[in-house]
Structures are given as C-alpha cells and as structure tokens.
C-alpha cells in the first residue's frame, strides 16, 4: 500500500474531527453561559449518549457494552466527564481561542504519560518538545490581558482547568489503546458517554440554572452534544484504531486554527502576534514530543 493511499484512508476524518472540535469551543461558550459548567457537561454527554444509542442498537453492539462495561464506563468519566466540565468552566473566563491553544497541549501530556506509565523515555527531540511546549503554554497564560488571577472565576483557574482536561485526554487515549483494543468503535463511543452521563447526573441536576435557558442555548447544546461529541467520538476512536493514539492526539494541531477563526468571526475575539508566537511554541513542542518532527542527528 502506498503512502498516498494510507493518507487518504484517514486524513479526511482527521481534518473533519479538527473542524468539529474547533467549533465546539464556540458552542460551549454559548451553552455554558446559560446552563453553567456542570449542567452543560451533563447535558452534553447525555445528548451524545442518546444520539449514539440507536446506532449501537442498529449495529447489534449492545452485547459488547454489556460485556466490557467495566472497562468502558470509567474511561468515559476521564475522557469526557472531567474535560467537559473543565472546558465549560474555562470558556466563561478566557477566550475560546486561548482555550483551544491550551487544548493543543494534549500530546505533551500524552508523551509525559507514556514516559511515566509505559516507561517510554523521551529522547532528545521529545524531551526538548516537552520543555518547549510547556514553556509556550506558561508564557501564554501569564501574559494574558489582566494577568493571571486565582480569585473565584479568575483566569488562572480557567487555565488550570484546561490543563487538567488535556491531562485527562492524554491519559484516556493511552488507556483506550492499551485496554480497549478489539472492542467495536461504536461500543466505546456510546459506552464512554453513558459512563460520563451517569456520574454527572446528580451534580448536573443540582446545579441546574434558576432561569430557563434561551432557544439559542438549547440549539448550541444540541450541536455540541450531537455533532461535537456523539459523532466526533466515533471519528476519534476510529482514528485510534487506524493510526494509533499518538498520531490521533495530534488532531489538536488543527483545533486552535479552526477555533480561533470561528472565535474571530462569531465572537469578535482577537489574536495578537504574541499569542501566535506562544501558540507556535506549543505546537512545535507538541510536534517534537509526539515524534512527528525530530532534531537532526549530530
């Protein structure tokens, strides 16, 4: 099989996933402003579960979920529940563009987890990538307009929430590759959303907004639940099965591009040369850490 043919088998899904997840920051902002972070996260995974359930039944994979639920449901909490709460909280304090750039540190944490968990010690290129990527994320955070604040609702907590989310993504991607191999994609996608839905149900209802959300917030919720979560996770787990965890995590390179363009177009956000420089540091470091780019040998 030629390299061109191999690329054609996964590149369209890869780009599509980047577009979908790039747009998710816009819909999260519109939804969380009225629903709050806890209810947004719970409703997001609930809508995703209801979206995927008919496909699960149609493909006759419910028995796979019954067989493997002990491995699938807990992963949904780490891969969906915790990150969705974190980002729904973050986008209420910082821009969608900044959130998406911080999201691109996922492969950095993936490389760090591979080092600690799988004893895959990083070489010179990957070690430099970890340092460069984290340095870019720190510089981006500490130079935000108004500075970093750790007061309630401050930008500092939003940044930490994004980094906690990316740590969860890195952990769950490696978990999926190691422990969920051979399980059908639809079973993993649907089961993970069910796991997150069950865990988030009580806090989601407890923190339900006192005022009924607007129609636009409900439409944003449907978009983020059906498209940006349900359908996106089918693509996500298909890519892990096709090209592996490390390459799949590099979809985070595309997300800031689309998220910033959408934020500029629909939310009147701006991007400065300094933000571009810091984003370049994060993405270059991520490329080195993920092994996509290597330093020349001496």
């Amino acid at each position: 099989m030629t390299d061109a043919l191999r690329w054609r088998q996964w590149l369209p899904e890869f780009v599509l996933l980047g577009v979908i997840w790039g747009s998710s920051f816009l819909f999260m902002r519109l939804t969380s402003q009225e629903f709050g972070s806890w209810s947004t996260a719970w409703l997001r995974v609930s809508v995703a579960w209801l979206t995927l359930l008919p496909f699960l039944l149609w493909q006759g994979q419910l028995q796979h979920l019954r067989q493997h639920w002990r491995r699938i449901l807990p992963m949904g909490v780490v891969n969906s529940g915790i990150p969705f709460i974190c980002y729904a909280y973050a986008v209420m304090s910082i821009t969608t563009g900044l959130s998406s750039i911080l999201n691109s540190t996922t492969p950095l944490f993936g490389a760090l987890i591979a080092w600690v968990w799988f004893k895959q010690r990083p070489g010179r290129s990957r070690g430099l990538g970890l340092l460069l990527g984290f340095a870019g994320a720190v510089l981006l955070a500490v130079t935000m307009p108004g500075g970093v604040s750790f007061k309630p609702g401050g930008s500092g907590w939003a940044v930490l929430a994004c980094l906690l989310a990316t740590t969860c993504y890195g952990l769950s991607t490696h978990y999926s590759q190691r422990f969920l191999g051979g399980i059908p994609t639809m079973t993993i996608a649907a089961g993970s959303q069910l796991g997150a839905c069950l865990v988030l149900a009580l806090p989601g209802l407890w923190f339900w907004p006192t005022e009924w959300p607007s129609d636009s917030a409900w439409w944003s919720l449907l978009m983020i639940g059906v498209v940006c979560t349900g359908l996106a996770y089918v693509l996500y787990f298909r890519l892990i099965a096709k090209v592996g965890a490390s390459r799949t995590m590099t979809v985070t390179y595309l997300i800031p591009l689309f998220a910033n363009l959408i934020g500029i177009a629909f939310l009147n956000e701006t991007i400065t040369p300094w933000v571009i420089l810091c984003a370049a540091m994060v993405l270059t470091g991520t490329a080195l850490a993920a092994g996509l780019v290597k330093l020349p040998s001496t």
Side-chain angles (χ1 to χ4, degrees), residues 223-264:
M223 285 297 299
I224 201 174
V226 175
V227 179
C228 300
T229 309
L231 299 182
Y233 271 113
V234 174
L235 292 175
Y236 172 72
F237 288 114
R238 277 171 56 89
L239 283 168
I240 290 177
K242 286 183 178 181
V243 300
S246 295
R247 181 171 288 180
T248 299
M249 282 190 292
T250 60
V251 73
T252 54
Y253 292 130
L254 298 179
I255 295 173
L257 170 63
F258 295 114
N260 276 279
L261 291 176
I262 292 169
I264 292 170

Side-chain angles (χ1 to χ4, degrees), residues 84-213:
F84 292 172
I85 294 170
C86 290
Y87 281 118
Y89 168 79
V91 295
M92 291 190 288
S93 303
I94 59 178
T95 65
T96 59
L98 176 56
S99 299
S100 67
I101 294 172
L102 293 172
N103 180 73
S104 65
T105 61
T106 295
L108 296 178
F109 287 101
L112 190 61
I113 290 167
W115 182 8
V116 174
W117 191 2
F118 297 104
K119 308 303 179 184
Q120 298 176 4
R121 186 179 180 85
R124 186 166 64 101
S125 294
R126 294 193 174 191
L128 177 61
L130 288 171
L131 291 175
L132 184 62
F134 284 121
V138 171
L139 288 174
L140 185 64
V142 299
T143 57
M144 289 187 301
V148 179
S149 171
F150 286 96
K151 295 179 181 179
S155 58
W157 295 114
V159 171
L160 291 179
C162 290
L163 296 180
L164 173 59
T166 56
T167 302
C168 290
Y169 284 146
L171 179 64
S172 61
T173 301
H174 283 293
Y175 177 93
S176 174
Q177 187 176 27
R178 185 168 188 181
F179 296 109
L180 302 182
I183 301 176
T185 299
M186 185 59 66
T187 303
I188 299 173
S192 64
Q193 300 311 298
L194 174 60
C197 174
L198 294 174
V199 170
L200 294 180
L202 184 58
L205 290 170
W206 182 265
F207 292 105
W208 188 263
T210 55
E211 295 185 9
W212 190 255

Side-chain angles (χ1 to χ4, degrees), residues 269-283:
E269 295 181 353
T270 59
I271 184 169
T272 65
W274 178 253
V275 171
I276 295 174
L277 176 61
C278 293
M281 290 177 62
V282 171
L283 295 178

Side-chain angles (χ1 to χ4, degrees), residues 45 49 65 69 72-78 80-81 189-201:
V45 295
W49 158 245
L65 181 56
W69 67 270
I72 296 174
L73 267 61
M75 192 207 61
V77 179
V78 179
S80 298
S192 64
Q193 300 311 298
L194 174 60
C197 174
L198 294 174
V199 170
L200 294 180

